[in-house]
Amino acid sequence: TALIALGVPRLATRRHASLRAGTFQLVRQPRMGRFLVGALIVWASLAAVNGFYSIQIVALGGAASLVGLAWVVGALVEIPIMWSFPRLAARFGAGRLLVAGGALFAARNFLAALAPNGEVLVAIAPFEGAAFGLFFVGGVGFVAARAPAGLAGTAQGIFSATTGLATILGTGAAGLIATALPIPGLFAVAGVVGLIAAIVVADAVRGATLPSGAAAGPIAVPGPVGDGGPVTIPGP
């Protein structure tokens, strides 16, 4: 990765922006602010379930090899979804794929709550892989398309920080909930929370339009909801 990064073309000009000022400028944008809130809740519900997923497989009688298989299956689905995201976005619209990712997370949580054995938990693992591929790539594209000029790096940093904060909040909350409810109950709660998060994300991306000068250089990103294909955003 380091060697590949050395070959990335560098811009002739550089911009330096205050991190604090840039953060406030980003979160004050209505759509960006709502999206970050929705993303925080989506990732938190994901972290809550993932923290207890392996435990539940074993609790339902699954072997350790079944635990490994569950995560392998999810990753195998995730990779082609990420690879084919531009083609999927050209057909369905990037906004719809982003919302679909959040909805698939919620569906997987509900199905996990109903799983009678470890084999079923493995069988629904592709939901997590597909959801992760759609939501992560779609989220990066959404943030890149709507970051003001000169704040592209700050925007991606905030998006990454949101996922990190969500992991802390989600796993912590899951531990508290699991002391009062059985693990299937925890999964069901995460399903409800994930569904709410998907609605928040849908509201954020609904009818969104690309701002002018959204990036410091030409970036090809998928279009918003209802768009027919990728959009190239020219730099200022």
Side-chain angles (χ1 to χ4, degrees):
T1 303
L3 291 175
I4 293 173
L6 291 175
V8 175
R10 302 186 180 188
L11 298 176
T13 59
R14 298 181 180 179
R15 292 183 175 89
H16 298 279
S18 167
L19 178 60
R20 178 181 301 179
T23 300
F24 282 119
Q25 184 179 349
L26 286 168
V27 299
R28 280 200 301 264
Q29 296 184 29
R31 293 190 182 279
M32 183 71 78
R34 289 200 298 272
F35 170 72
L36 290 174
V37 170
L40 177 71
I41 305 173
V42 167
W43 292 123
S45 67
L46 170 65
V49 173
N50 282 0
F52 285 84
Y53 207 78
S54 299
I55 297 173
Q56 181 66 352
I57 291 176
V58 175
L60 292 176
S65 58
L66 205 61
V67 173
L69 182 61
W71 297 109
V72 168
V73 169
L76 287 176
V77 174
E78 176 184 317
I79 295 171
I81 290 291
M82 288 184 168
W83 184 266
S84 60
F85 190 93
R87 290 186 293 276
L88 293 173
R91 180 172 181 178
F92 301 105
R96 292 190 180 96
L97 296 182
L98 184 56
V99 175
L104 282 175
F105 276 135
R108 178 257 202 160
N109 296 346
F110 283 124
L111 292 174
L114 301 173
N117 51 57
E119 287 75 11
V120 173
L121 289 175
V122 173
I124 64 175
F127 278 78
E128 191 268 347
F132 188 92
L134 293 175
F135 197 85
F136 181 76
V137 179
V140 169
F142 181 90
V143 171
R146 287 152 187 87
L151 292 177
T154 300
Q156 295 300 336
I158 293 173
F159 182 55
S160 296
T162 299
T163 64
L165 178 61
T167 301
I168 296 172
L169 297 177
T171 53
L176 295 175
I177 295 173
T179 61
L181 298 175
I183 294 179
L186 164 64
F187 290 171
V189 171
V192 174
V193 173
L195 182 59
I196 295 172
I199 294 173
V200 174
V201 171
D203 179 63
V205 303
R206 178 172 52 89
T209 57
L210 295 175
S212 60
I219 297 179
V221 297
V225 173
D227 194 278
V231 175
T232 299
I233 305 174

